[in-house]
Amino acid sequence: MQPIPRDRVLTQVKRFLNVLSTKIQSRRHCSTPHLPAAQYHHSPAHDLPYFPTEIWLMVLREATFMSPDPLDISLGLSFLETPCSNDDYHAAMRVKRDLSLVNKAWNKYIQEYLYDSSTESHRVASGFSRLHMETPALKRCATDDIRTILDYAPHLVVFSDHHAVRCTRYQEFNDVRCSPEQMVSPLASPHRKLRKLSLTNYSDDPFPYHISPTLKQTAANLEYLELSSSSIPVVSGHKLARALVVSLPVLQSLKLTLDNTTFAVIARWKMPSLRNVSVVSSDFGYAGRGFALFFAAHGKNIHQLELGHSSSLVVEHHLTLQPRPVQQIPLAEWCPNLKEFICSADAEWNWRNPDWIAPHVLLPAHPHLEFIGIRDIDKRILDDAASFPSDIEDDAPFFPLAEQISSLLFNDAFPSLRYIRDLSRTSHSMRAGLRPQMRILKFWSKILARCGERQVWLEDFRGVNITSRDLKRAGLAEV
């Protein structure tokens, strides 16, 4: 898949604007009265071409365009898409701010794009339509502020809370409306048009007690749901059995960072359109009953699966358990229609089968899997290079990683495999940026050759094929 070229379109737009500016500017000069030199004070703003407002809005929109667009809801439904980083977003906002200070006209025009993360005048009449909260640990938001925002945001489409609320289990709230349980209660309205919802549980009570009523009222349009908990609730599964059963008819993507008991409750939810799932068992209960019930109920609908914990973390945790779990987790049987799998580059080497390194201990094989995406390859490369210092042209430190990726190709565990994608943006910069190291290029050349032998496409984080010509071009830049 090749990215859409924009250079040709931008060149045509630039030529059109130059011609249009020349015509309009000439008419403007003809109608402007000649002023004495003493009364005229030149300003750099006068050198800007004269365009109608519609043209300036288009120019400023293209000048501040972000790719990927952090406000595009459809981009977040697949876990393969790389979200916009906070640094890129802040840099884009600084550009918008600087453009707004050029002159009064630009300041007026760019307001729509400067505050597009909070207001969307072309979609809603007024008020916020998207609210994303992701803060450092020492700068978290107060619950009363969030409750006030939600009370005055009836047109909210996206609400995301990523552990950004300041509250403790011993904190007393003078206003019960501002407690963690009641903070998101304004979302529980059938008139809401929520399409993307990310919630964090700050209470010792499990999610179903206070989240299920909210979801039951806003489930009609919800396409993406993310649930995480800041602690593991201490409650019996029998007590949770009385929780409400939620129906999410159009939900496509579900991301869960929950305990094994809560997994058992969510297994009863009705999600007929579910396709993409990302799971992290906060108590490492992958061999537990709740994890099994969830995949037994929804596994047949899953086409894309991401396991948040790396293979080595799961194995390390199981080694500390007494007694150790001995049963195999039949994830391939639970998800027979699985086509895309996402895992970490931090896989675990099994001494019992030294010639084969599975991408994840929970999914050592699958007959219908066509795509494997690998995260954190950049971290793995840097760690291997630091652990085995050598000549910068020697790719020997990357031998374990090369054998791990090659194991996906020369084993019958994944007979339908057609694509391997490096999901790391930093790894792409290390491979195709300015002056890449020769040993990194050698490593990728070796992986590319082995993928070619198996007729498997090797892709970067954008989904663009990595070719030998790209690596040779990067090698010439290094020289």
Side-chain angles (χ1 to χ4, degrees), residues 242-293:
R242 298 190 300 270
L244 292 175
V245 177
V246 179
S247 178
L248 303 170
V250 297
L251 186 71
Q252 300 181 38
S253 299
L254 180 63
K255 186 174 183 179
L256 302 174
T257 306
L258 301 173
D259 59 284
N260 187 63
T261 305
T262 311
F263 268 113
V265 177
I266 298 179
R268 301 167 52 213
W269 290 5
K270 298 178 181 180
M271 298 176 284
S273 302
L274 185 63
R275 294 294 180 270
N276 311 318
V277 174
S278 175
V279 295
V280 174
S281 180
S282 56
D283 55 357
F284 286 88
Y286 295 103
R289 181 173 177 269
F291 193 79
L293 289 175

Side-chain angles (χ1 to χ4, degrees), residues 1 28 75 79 83 123 147 200 210 222 226 241 263 266 275 288 306 309 313 320 326 368 386 388 407 420 426 433 446:
M1 296 181 290
R28 186 186 181 191
L75 292 179
F79 299 111
R123 293 193 178 184
R147 176 59 190 260
T200 300
H210 56 278
L222 202 59
E226 179 177 352
F263 268 113
I266 298 179
R275 294 294 180 270
E306 177 175 6
H309 278 141
L313 285 177
T320 61
V326 294
H368 306 299
F388 302 95
S407 298
I420 294 178
T426 304
K446 185 182 300 183

Side-chain angles (χ1 to χ4, degrees), residues 356 359 363-369 407-408 410-416 454:
W356 161 245
L363 190 69
H366 197 287
H368 306 299
L369 195 66
S407 298
L408 308 178
F410 299 103
N411 194 284
D412 296 333
F414 303 102
S416 301
R454 170 68 191 279

Side-chain angles (χ1 to χ4, degrees), residues 84-103:
C84 175
S85 64
N86 290 335
D87 294 338
D88 294 340
Y89 178 78
H90 293 157
M93 294 304 295
R94 286 193 293 269
V95 171
K96 296 179 183 181
R97 179 202 60 192
D98 295 341
L99 292 177
S100 68
L101 300 177
V102 173
N103 55 37

Side-chain angles (χ1 to χ4, degrees), residues 9-242:
V9 177
L10 293 178
T11 302
Q12 294 176 355
V13 172
K14 183 178 179 181
R15 292 176 180 175
F16 169 75
L17 293 178
N18 290 335
V19 174
L20 185 62
S21 173
T22 303
K23 294 182 179 180
I24 298 178
Q25 194 76 9
S26 61
R27 296 178 183 177
R28 186 186 181 191
H29 285 315
C30 294
S31 60
T32 302
H34 296 284
L35 299 176
Q39 300 180 12
Y40 177 74
H41 300 281
H42 181 268
S43 172
H46 296 167
D47 297 333
L48 296 174
Y50 173 77
F51 291 143
T53 302
E54 295 80 2
I55 301 297
W56 274 123
L57 290 176
M58 294 175 57
V59 172
L60 294 175
R61 182 189 64 189
E62 294 298 324
T64 58
F65 177 77
M66 294 185 62
S67 180
D69 186 0
L71 303 178
D72 191 346
I73 301 176
S74 62
L75 292 179
L77 296 181
S78 173
F79 299 111
L80 293 175
E81 292 154 354
T82 304
C84 175
S85 64
N86 290 335
D87 294 338
D88 294 340
Y89 178 78
H90 293 157
M93 294 304 295
R94 286 193 293 269
V95 171
K96 296 179 183 181
R97 179 202 60 192
D98 295 341
L99 292 177
S100 68
L101 300 177
V102 173
N103 55 37
K104 293 182 179 180
W106 280 23
N107 184 277
K108 178 182 178 181
Y109 299 153
I110 208 169
Q111 295 300 311
E112 177 180 353
Y113 310 117
L114 187 62
Y115 300 105
D116 53 5
S117 60
S118 58
T119 24
E120 290 255 316
S121 59
H122 62 284
R123 293 193 178 184
V124 297
S126 62
F128 295 101
S129 64
R130 292 169 173 83
L131 178 60
H132 179 89
M133 301 185 301
E134 187 174 358
T135 64
L138 299 180
K139 297 182 179 180
R140 291 178 175 172
C141 307
T143 55
D144 51 348
D145 293 338
I146 303 303
R147 176 59 190 260
T148 302
I149 293 175
L150 294 181
D151 286 337
Y152 290 91
H155 303 289
L156 205 62
V157 178
V158 177
F159 177 76
S160 301
D161 171 22
H162 298 273
H163 296 270
V165 176
R166 183 177 68 249
C167 61
T168 64
R169 66 184 63 185
Y170 304 109
Q171 183 176 355
E172 295 183 0
F173 297 91
N174 297 326
D175 187 355
V176 69
R177 298 169 56 256
C178 301
S179 63
E181 295 80 4
Q182 297 296 324
M183 181 184 64
V184 296
S185 60
L187 300 177
S189 171
H191 302 292
R192 293 278 184 175
K193 302 298 181 181
L194 277 175
R195 296 177 57 189
K196 186 174 182 180
L197 181 62
S198 301
L199 294 175
T200 300
N201 183 23
Y202 300 96
S203 173
D204 289 335
D205 294 331
F207 255 121
Y209 282 167
H210 56 278
I211 297 300
S212 294
T214 301
L215 295 178
K216 197 168 185 178
Q217 296 292 331
T218 61
N221 302 293
L222 202 59
E223 301 175 8
Y224 177 96
L225 177 62
E226 179 177 352
L227 301 176
S228 61
S229 182
S230 58
S231 62
I232 300 176
V234 182
V235 64
S236 63
H238 178 73
K239 189 176 181 180
L240 284 178
R242 298 190 300 270

Side-chain angles (χ1 to χ4, degrees), residues 342-368:
I342 305 173
C343 60
S344 172
D346 188 15
E348 182 69 14
W349 177 75
N350 187 358
W351 62 270
R352 296 179 180 177
N353 193 1
D355 297 331
W356 161 245
I357 305 176
H360 203 282
V361 66
L362 301 181
L363 190 69
H366 197 287
H368 306 299

